[in-house]
Amino acid sequence: MTDETRGDQPFKRLFFALDCPPTQRKAIAQWRSELGLRTGKPVPADNFHLTLLFLGAVPLAQIGEVCEAAAKVRTPGEALRISLDRLQVWRRTGVLSLAPEQAPQALLRLVYALEQAMLPFGFEEATREYRPHLTLARDYRAPEPESATAPEFFLRAERFALFESHKGRYRSLAEWPLV
C-alpha cells in the first residue's frame, strides 16, 4: 500500500503542478550536468515540474473533493508558456532551481484560483508566498554555480495536474486542461 498514515487516518502528500515534457526534462538535466555540481542531491529528471500549490498531507477521504474543487478552477483558456531563464539558490531551504525572471500573469492567476479553491480544506501549506520554480537539486549548500550557457528553457503546459509525492517519486493522480 502506497498510502501513509497519520494517527489512524491514511493520507497522501499532494501538490498541484505543471508537468515538464520528457524532451524538456532531458534538456534541463543535460544543462544541469554541465554545471558540474559538487554539492546537493540532484532531483531525478522524471520529477521535474513547476509547482503551483503544495497541499501537504491530504486525507484519502478528501482527495475526491479536492479534485472536484480543482475541476471548477477558472483556467487561462490557453496553454501557458513559462520562461525558465534564471538560476537561483534558496539558501535557507537549500534548493537550487530554475525560475522565470518574470512570471506570466496567467500563471499567477491560475495559482491564485487554486489557492482560493483549496481554502475550504484548510491546508496550512497552501499559505506560503508563491515563487514559481523548477527544482534542480535539494540540500544545495553552495553559491550559485557558474554556467557556460545561460538557462533558456520554455515550459509549455496545456494542463495542470494533482501529484502525489511518495518515497522521492511523483505520480500524477488527476489532470485538468488549461485550454
Side-chain angles (χ1 to χ4, degrees), residues 1-4 13 44 47 164-170:
M1 181 156 110
T2 64
D3 306 322
E4 300 178 56
R13 290 180 47 80
N47 284 354
E164 172 189 13
S165 172
H166 182 72
K167 295 185 178 180
R169 294 288 176 203
Y170 304 145

Side-chain angles (χ1 to χ4, degrees), residues 27-143:
I28 292 171
Q30 176 63 41
W31 182 82
R32 177 185 61 189
S33 71
E34 292 169 6
L35 293 175
L37 302 179
R38 289 179 169 67
T39 182
K41 297 175 186 168
V43 169
D46 287 344
N47 284 354
F48 286 165
H49 65 277
L50 190 114
T51 302
L52 298 171
L53 182 65
F54 184 75
L55 301 179
V58 178
L60 291 183
Q62 216 173 28
I63 294 174
E65 295 172 53
V66 167
C67 289
E68 287 176 23
K72 295 175 185 171
V73 166
R74 184 169 181 200
T75 60
E78 63 186 14
L80 288 175
R81 183 178 158 103
I82 298 120
S83 175
L84 299 173
D85 55 359
R86 193 169 115 212
L87 183 62
Q88 57 186 15
V89 175
W90 296 356
R91 294 190 192 331
R92 190 174 61 77
T93 56
V95 168
L96 177 67
S97 67
L98 283 174
E101 184 70 39
Q102 183 69 39
Q105 286 301 309
L107 172 65
L108 299 177
R109 283 191 297 272
L110 174 62
V111 169
Y112 180 76
L114 276 170
E115 289 171 345
Q116 295 304 301
M118 296 301 119
L119 280 177
F121 300 103
F123 299 124
E124 291 179 28
E125 298 288 343
T127 59
R128 296 179 181 167
E129 178 186 351
Y130 180 64
R131 299 192 311 181
H133 67 283
L134 183 146
T135 302
L136 297 172
R138 298 189 186 287
D139 299 327
Y140 186 82
R141 304 289 178 204

